[in-house]
Amino acid sequence: MTNAQRVVGLLRSVRGFASASGYSRTTVGLSPDPVEGIPWRLEDFGTDYKHWFVSVKEPVPETREEMAAHCVKILSAITGSEDEARKKMYMISTRCYYAFGALISREEAQELKKVPHVKDVLPDSYVNRETKDYGGEPFFDGQLVPYDPKYHKFFDDFWAANRAEAEARDKEEAEARARGDIETDEEDDDDDDDSKSKECKSFLSI
């Protein structure tokens, strides 16, 4: 498994806690009300069905400013104007994963799924429940704030905690390939994957 695939798996696990708790994400019309036998509400984790996590398809623009403009344009398809789209965006991620957060209704979330360049639209949830942080890079008053590594600290901590395990697994796989226990195929795909995640790996010192 490549590093980029591990990031995707982590992101899905973070945004998919509702599924792990017995909820389905197959439709947007989920209820945040308490369920018998479960002592908490999804809203306790930031899933209020007002904050939506919008995953953007690659390729994406190279600079933060271009990525922000790209996301604003995507959202404007349902808001009617880019000015209105800027007002509704609360975060963006230009490294490690490509996405933005939007304050929209469930109906608008359904419509946004149909817009070109949109990979998926999910109810957002806190990365840090104590600080009520949705993660990513803050988008205040329609503008990006200067970049700070803390905006992706969650991923940085994840990689730090799992680096040794990942390196051991990769070493074991390389040794198996050298012995001929594993066929060496799809190497070009791995190289391509590594290229796509180069910036993220550099940022996380992998």
Side-chain angles (χ1 to χ4, degrees):
M1 181 182 292
T2 62
N3 285 333
Q5 288 170 329
R6 292 181 190 118
V7 168
V8 171
L10 169 67
L11 185 57
R12 285 175 177 168
S13 69
V14 172
R15 303 296 172 183
F17 75 91
S19 294
S21 303
Y23 290 86
S24 170
R25 296 189 317 199
T26 55
T27 64
V28 174
L30 301 179
S31 171
D33 296 328
V35 175
E36 185 177 353
I38 300 179
W40 42 258
R41 294 160 50 98
L42 290 179
E43 191 171 325
D44 297 337
F45 295 84
T47 307
D48 56 7
Y49 297 86
K50 298 175 183 176
H51 293 77
W52 295 87
F53 179 85
V54 185
S55 178
V56 179
K57 292 179 180 177
E58 296 186 57
V60 297
E62 293 191 3
T63 70
R64 293 183 73 227
E65 291 72 19
E66 290 172 340
M67 176 64 177
H70 181 55
C71 292
V72 167
K73 186 174 182 179
I74 290 172
L75 187 58
S76 70
I78 65 161
T79 63
S81 72
E82 292 192 0
D83 284 342
E84 191 63 24
R86 288 189 186 93
K87 293 176 184 177
K88 291 180 177 291
M89 284 175 58
Y90 58 89
M91 79 85 179
I92 189 171
S93 179
T94 61
R95 292 188 177 186
C96 298
Y97 61 97
Y98 304 110
F100 64 91
L103 280 162
I104 54 179
S105 68
R106 298 188 193 197
E107 292 74 22
E108 289 173 323
Q110 287 282 29
E111 289 302 312
L112 189 55
K113 286 186 175 184
K114 306 172 188 176
V115 175
H117 306 296
V118 172
K119 188 173 184 178
D120 205 355
V121 182
L122 304 172
D124 209 349
S125 56
Y126 297 142
V127 168
N128 187 324
R129 187 181 175 190
E130 292 182 1
T131 60
K132 298 185 177 181
D133 179 16
Y134 283 101
E137 305 153 46
F139 199 84
F140 290 138
D141 296 325
Q143 300 293 328
L144 275 170
V145 301
Y147 188 77
D148 189 313
K150 70 181 181 181
Y151 297 142
H152 288 94
K153 186 177 183 300
F154 179 82
F155 286 87
D156 196 8
D157 290 346
F158 169 80
W159 284 115
N162 290 273
R163 185 176 293 114
E165 179 185 346
E167 289 179 350
R169 183 168 54 246
D170 292 344
K171 181 180 179 181
E172 182 179 340
E173 182 177 322
E175 291 174 348
R177 288 183 183 277
R179 292 193 305 268
D181 295 342
I182 300 178
E183 292 184 11
T184 2
D185 53 13
E186 313 245 351
E187 287 186 343
D188 290 339
D189 289 343
D190 287 345
D191 289 341
D192 183 56
D193 188 81
D194 287 343
S195 174
K196 289 178 182 177
S197 60
K198 182 178 179 182
E199 181 183 17
C200 184
K201 287 163 125 183
S202 173
F203 168 68
L204 296 175
S205 301
I206 294 301

